[in-house]
Each structure stands twice: as C-alpha cells, then as structure tokens.
Amino acid sequence: MFYVYLVISAALVPILDNFFPILRQSYSVWLVPVLFIGFFAALIILHLLAFVITILLIREDSPPDRFSRSFRTFVNFTLPMAFKLARVHIHMTGEEKIPENTRCLFVANHLHEFDPAVMVAMLPDAELGFIGKKEIRQLYPPIARAMNKLHCLFIDRENNREAVKTILAAAQLLKNDIVSVGLFPEGYCSKDGELQPMRSGSFKIAYRAQVPVVVCTLVGTEKIVKNMFRRRTDVYFDILECVPYEWFADQPTNALGDRVYAEMKENIARRRAENNKGE
C-alpha cells in the first residue's frame, strides 16, 4: 500500500489542477511537492487510523470466523506499510521451500514481540495464526482481540494441562484447513539473543495434525524499537527447510526438536557472521 499511496498522491495533483489551475502558476514549483507530500501523509494517516479503529471495535466475544478474511487482508496491507514507515527492511530467503496448498507448522526463534508481525507481513499467503502467551490478554486487550480474529491461540506456559488444550486446538486448526500455525518453541523471548533450548512438546501440534514443519530464523527484530524511525533496521527472515511429516512421524518429539535447534543455531550464527563482516 505504501507505493499505491505514492501513485495515488501523484495522481491527485493533476486532478486537483482541473479544479484549481496550479500547475501553470509561478508558485507551482513549491506547491506541487507540498501537495504531493500532504496527500501522501493524509492517506497514510487515514489508513493507520482506520486500522486502529477497526481493532478497537472488535468485540471480545466476536467469533474469529466472522469477517476474519477481510480483517486478515487489512492486516496484510497494513503491516508491510508500517514496517516501511518505521524504516524496517526485511530480507527474506527460502520462500520457495514452503509447500503450496498445504497447511504447515511454522517454527522460529524468538527475539522480540515484533517476530510474529514480521512473519505475517512476509508470508501473507500462509495465513498464519500464532500461539501467544496468555498474558497478552491482560496486558494488551485490543491486540489480543485482533489476534483472536486471526485465529491465534493463547497458551498458559506454566500450566501443562491448559497448554495441552492449546496444542490440541492448534492441531485442529491445521486439520480443518483453517490456518497454518506459527510457533516459537523456545517458549519465551531470548533475553541475550542466543537460541534457547526447544520445548519439544510443542511439536506435538505437527504430529497430531500430520503436517510438515517449516523451520525459520529471525535476526535483527530486537533492534526495531531502538532504531524505529531514526535509522534503518535490517531484519533477516530465513526459511531453512520444510521437514515432511513422514520424516518425524515415527520419531520422538525431542528428535525433531534437536534437528530444528541445530538448523536454527547454525543459520543464526552464519547470518550474524555475515552481518558483522558487512559492518
């Protein structure tokens, strides 16, 4: 939408000239760019305002199926634009490894609360619904309602019985072909940026749903808040591989966890080494 609004802003100037001849005046040298910037800023502000109002109007008891597709489309338009405005440049690799027309469990390392937003922005066709911590409901009620509309689930990480219920619900979403599921198997954001041990039990979602596991890594999302609007932030989102269900169907969950952990750790180290060389 960022570039669409640029084109619309450029088109509005000659349209305005039909009513108020400004392009042939001596002051058009400065007025035209001012109008262009003003139109563009107004379109961006109206879009973001409409997005915020839409989220605030979502009722807590609103079922996720109702208007969820139109809301997801709104999200898919808004997030890339918001990242561009915040000077966040996302480099994605490996998109071709995602199987077509197949629901998957997407797993990634966890650095910051922006991680799900990055993945949703870069994978609009995957229709991701994430598993988030239950505390979001108390801390950020509007965001929790928006997540609910996207078929996200909330997990109690300290209550095993409730956590199992969430895992079963996520598997059902996959089985019913409603959404793909995004998961951060470390369980928590890494405080030091290093990859934490996998909570292998979370992979049971893929076992129960009999879906492949798409392994991803994120590097740089922890810098977004610090750099936002002031300087460019480079975020690296790498899709490493798609592990077919047939590979892990007869394996214990910790075997799959070990494979995912090794691949994530190697790629994160490689990506950081490349970034350090560039600096």
Side-chain angles (χ1 to χ4, degrees):
M1 289 304 293
F2 185 89
Y3 296 108
V4 171
Y5 288 151
L6 282 175
V7 173
I8 293 175
S9 300
L12 285 174
V13 175
I15 291 174
L16 184 65
D17 184 64
N18 289 330
F19 301 95
F20 306 97
I22 57 175
L23 296 180
R24 295 173 295 278
Q25 305 298 327
S26 58
Y27 51 77
S28 63
V29 174
W30 60 265
L31 184 58
V32 169
V34 168
L35 286 172
F36 172 77
I37 294 172
F39 285 140
F40 179 69
L43 289 170
I44 293 292
I45 292 171
L46 287 173
H47 181 116
L48 295 177
L49 185 61
F51 185 65
V52 171
I53 292 174
T54 300
I55 290 176
L56 293 176
L57 290 178
I58 296 175
R59 292 172 49 188
E60 190 170 355
D61 59 348
S62 176
D65 288 330
R66 191 176 185 186
F67 308 124
S68 62
R69 187 162 296 277
S70 58
F71 180 67
R72 184 177 292 277
T73 300
F74 202 0
V75 170
N76 290 341
F77 280 136
T78 304
L79 285 180
M81 182 180 70
F83 280 129
K84 189 169 289 291
L85 290 171
R87 301 186 66 186
V88 177
H89 186 72
I90 305 172
H91 309 265
M92 183 170 71
T93 66
E95 186 179 7
E96 71 282 354
K97 298 174 184 176
I98 302 174
E100 295 182 1
N101 303 317
T102 303
R103 292 299 181 193
C104 302
L105 176 66
F106 287 77
V107 297
N109 61 309
H110 202 9
L111 297 172
H112 195 274
E113 282 77 7
F114 274 118
D115 294 342
V118 169
M119 294 176 68
V120 169
M122 300 308 292
L123 299 172
D125 295 335
E127 297 183 320
L128 284 171
F130 281 86
I131 296 180
K133 58 185 179 182
K134 70 167 187 175
E135 291 81 2
I136 294 174
R137 286 173 168 165
Q138 287 77 40
L139 296 173
Y140 314 109
I143 293 177
R145 293 197 293 271
M147 290 175 64
N148 181 64
K149 188 62 71 176
L150 297 175
H151 292 281
C152 294
L153 300 171
F154 300 94
I155 191 168
D156 186 342
R157 297 168 295 184
E158 308 304 327
N159 186 321
N160 290 337
R161 185 184 296 273
E162 292 302 316
V164 168
K165 291 180 181 179
T166 303
I167 287 173
L168 293 175
Q172 202 61 45
L173 287 175
L174 290 163
K175 280 184 177 181
N176 294 343
D177 193 26
I178 295 175
V179 290
S180 288
V181 174
L183 173 70
F184 302 105
E186 293 167 276
Y188 293 85
C189 285
S190 175
K191 294 181 180 179
D192 59 3
E194 298 301 320
L195 187 64
Q196 305 301 305
M198 303 284 104
R199 295 192 172 197
S200 297
S202 60
F203 292 109
K204 290 180 181 178
I205 296 170
Y207 284 80
R208 288 188 169 274
Q210 299 184 10
V211 297
V213 175
V214 178
V215 185
C216 315
T217 60
L218 291 154
V219 173
T221 52
E222 74 281 6
K223 300 176 183 177
I224 292 177
V225 173
K226 179 181 177 181
N227 295 343
M228 190 177 292
F229 305 118
R230 299 189 303 112
R231 65 180 69 148
R232 169 171 160 158
T233 302
D234 287 294
V235 171
Y236 298 88
F237 177 41
D238 297 314
I239 299 167
L240 308 183
E241 74 157 339
C242 178
V243 184
Y245 170 71
E246 292 73 21
W247 184 89
F248 58 83
D250 299 324
Q251 301 280 344
T253 55
N254 64 326
L256 178 57
D258 290 344
R259 175 171 175 168
V260 170
Y261 180 87
E263 291 184 8
M264 284 186 182
K265 191 172 183 65
E266 180 182 358
N267 192 70
I268 292 170
R270 179 190 65 82
R271 178 62 72 185
R272 287 177 175 167
E274 291 176 354
N275 294 347
N276 290 334
K277 281 184 181 179
E279 294 175 359

